[in-house]
Amino acid sequence: MSKANNFRRYNPLIDEWIIVAVNRINRPWQGAKTTVSKNSEDTTSSDSRAPPEKNQLAPGGVRSSGAVNEEYQSTFVFENDFPSFTEFEKCAGEEENDDLFKQQEVRGVCKVICYHPDSKLTLATMDLKEVRTVIDIWNQQYVELCPKYDWVQIFENRGAVVGCSNMHPHGQLWASNYLPSIPLKKHQKKTLSQKYFEKHGGKVMLMDYLDQEIEKNERIIMRNEHWTWLVPYWAFWPYETMLLPNRHVERFTDLEETEKQSLSSILRDLLIKYDNIFECSFPYMMGWSGAPTASFLQEDCSFWQLHLSFFPPLLRSATVPKFLAGYEVFAEKQRDISPEIAAKTLREMDGVHYSKWN
């Protein structure tokens, strides 16, 4: 891997940045591969899941860098061997600050969080104590990295259809020295959240939204004492959902012990329902969002509300995903089933994992 930091470039057409991670092109791939037919039109996907003895994320596994994993018995965290963010002395590209050609160095750290030593398990099939351990690791990582980095993103890509390169139960953490495009839009002065906050006398937009969703009771899937799981009114992905604390919480590190414990329960319950929709290990993109950190810790971030988002691509069956394409890429997103129908489907799903059905 190159011993130089990566960079990001600015797109003036849509006022967004893109990370150029030149050192990741040689990273290993253990996920799905696409085979092309002779007419170059039909493609099929094959799951090239690594056998247990070659699983680079398993206890004692040998990663492509030559590093050997610990013989871990619970969760295991290590720095990604092919990270987008690094802390080297030099950068792979020069700084540019022209109106049309803007380029910035990016610094930070990327980590892999292995949830469990057993490759056959997922957050949906782990026991509550094991799920709680993962939540504690998330909190530990936030506590460690928030003072140094402006944005700490914990996320999971589950399933080959969303680009997961290894089916071992794991997520990732990317921490950067800048605020990425999407959280920046949520934080900049006069964002919708800030305007709402000012217009409604200091009320947090997502908290008001949650209160009204509870009152309408059309898109609520599940609630417990501390959390509410719902399909957002504006959802794009077929079974997109959001998990919200029932009280105002700015950052993950602000959660109380009782909230972390009930999070482990509702998180596992919702993932069981996901798996039960099509009786498969349901693929999704999952990510936490909360107030920015480091240089933003001294700012007023009270208009932020912590939330966890799930973007699953499956639409009609375990083998029919929805892709972002065509009009959705160039103009505006669209969905094929209403958020209300999606919420009803999830709400009525069995609470016992399909693998335990008789």
Side-chain angles (χ1 to χ4, degrees):
M1 186 184 78
S2 168
K3 297 298 182 182
N5 297 319
N6 290 314
F7 51 88
R8 62 200 294 243
R9 286 181 174 172
Y10 179 68
N11 181 346
L13 282 173
I14 55 175
D15 188 27
E16 287 185 358
W17 292 80
I18 182 170
I19 299 168
V20 184
V22 294
N23 62 8
R24 280 174 61 84
I25 190 64
N26 293 321
R27 71 188 182 108
W29 183 257
Q30 291 180 288
K33 295 182 179 179
T34 299
T35 57
V36 183
S37 67
K38 292 182 179 179
N39 62 14
S40 297
E41 292 180 357
D42 299 325
T43 61
T44 57
S45 179
S46 60
D47 185 355
S48 56
R49 187 184 301 245
E53 66 275 9
K54 293 186 178 180
N55 180 3
Q56 296 186 20
L57 297 185
V62 180
R63 307 199 299 271
S64 58
S65 64
V68 179
N69 297 335
E70 298 175 9
E71 291 288 349
Y72 62 95
Q73 301 298 311
S74 181
T75 55
F76 174 57
V77 181
F78 66 90
E79 292 201 14
N80 198 312
D81 297 317
F82 295 86
S84 288
F85 302 141
T86 52
E87 288 285 6
F88 296 126
E89 292 184 6
K90 297 180 179 180
C91 181
E94 297 295 325
E95 295 274 328
E96 295 188 70
N97 197 29
D98 183 87
D99 285 345
L100 300 178
F101 300 91
K102 291 184 181 181
Q103 181 167 291
Q104 297 176 348
E105 179 184 30
V106 294
R107 288 178 174 266
V109 63
C110 296
K111 297 186 179 185
V112 177
I113 303 173
C114 295
Y115 299 155
H116 198 281
D118 189 342
S119 297
K120 296 187 292 295
L121 294 181
T122 66
L123 286 173
T125 55
M126 290 159 54
D127 66 38
L128 286 179
K129 184 178 179 180
E130 292 165 338
V131 176
R132 174 61 197 267
T133 300
V134 173
I135 291 168
D136 287 340
I137 288 292
W138 287 343
N139 187 73
Q140 174 189 318
Q141 291 298 314
Y142 274 118
V143 169
E144 175 186 332
L145 297 169
C146 282
K148 183 176 182 180
Y149 295 108
D150 286 348
W151 188 253
V152 179
Q153 181 66 67
I154 286 180
F155 65 98
E156 179 186 355
N157 295 325
R158 174 175 158 186
V161 71
V162 295
C164 180
S165 62
N166 188 310
M167 298 303 113
H168 190 91
H170 75 285
Q172 297 186 59
L173 179 156
W174 292 16
S176 59
N177 66 337
Y178 67 93
L179 207 52
S181 295
I182 293 176
L184 179 62
K185 287 181 179 179
K186 296 178 180 178
H187 189 78
Q188 284 174 322
K189 289 183 179 180
K190 302 305 178 184
T191 61
L192 292 178
S193 294
Q194 283 187 324
K195 287 180 180 178
Y196 189 96
F197 190 78
E198 294 171 3
K199 179 180 178 181
H200 295 272
K203 290 185 176 180
V204 179
M205 184 171 69
L206 273 181
M207 289 306 299
D208 261 11
Y209 169 71
L210 175 59
D211 289 341
Q212 293 187 46
E213 282 285 24
I214 293 171
E215 184 178 343
K216 293 176 184 294
N217 200 28
E218 294 179 285
R219 289 165 293 275
I220 301 291
I221 303 163
M222 184 189 304
R223 300 191 72 212
N224 65 19
E225 182 182 358
H226 302 107
W227 298 87
T228 298
W229 184 37
L230 54 82
V231 176
Y233 181 78
W234 54 81
F236 162 64
W237 294 99
Y239 290 99
E240 177 179 335
T241 61
M242 179 186 292
L243 184 62
L244 285 157
N246 291 337
R247 70 175 180 95
H248 181 214
V249 178
E250 291 181 24
R251 298 179 177 89
F252 195 91
T253 48
D254 296 330
L255 291 173
E256 298 174 352
E257 288 302 305
T258 52
E259 290 169 320
K260 294 175 195 171
Q261 187 59 36
S262 62
L263 172 59
S264 63
S265 174
I266 198 169
L267 179 59
R268 190 183 68 165
D269 288 347
L270 72 86
L271 294 176
I272 287 173
K273 284 181 176 286
Y274 266 151
D275 282 5
N276 287 350
I277 294 177
F278 299 125
E279 297 181 33
C280 69
S281 187
F282 205 71
Y284 56 71
M285 295 163 282
M286 175 192 82
W288 284 100
S289 296
T293 50
S295 62
F296 297 91
L297 290 173
Q298 305 307 314
E299 290 189 13
D300 181 8
C301 295
S302 52
F303 59 92
W304 276 87
Q305 170 69 357
L306 178 72
H307 57 282
L308 178 63
S309 297
F310 287 86
F311 301 151
L314 294 188
L315 178 59
R316 297 183 182 90
S317 74
T319 58
V320 181
K322 173 181 176 59
F323 293 101
L324 187 65
Y327 190 87
E328 295 159 347
V329 173
F330 299 106
E332 191 166 85
K333 295 176 180 177
Q334 68 92 37
R335 62 178 290 130
D336 298 329
I337 60 173
S338 73
E340 293 73 31
I341 292 175
K344 183 176 185 293
T345 300
L346 285 163
R347 194 163 48 240
E348 295 176 354
M349 276 295 121
D350 199 317
V352 177
H353 197 268
Y354 74 91
S355 63
K356 298 180 180 179
W357 293 350
N358 293 327

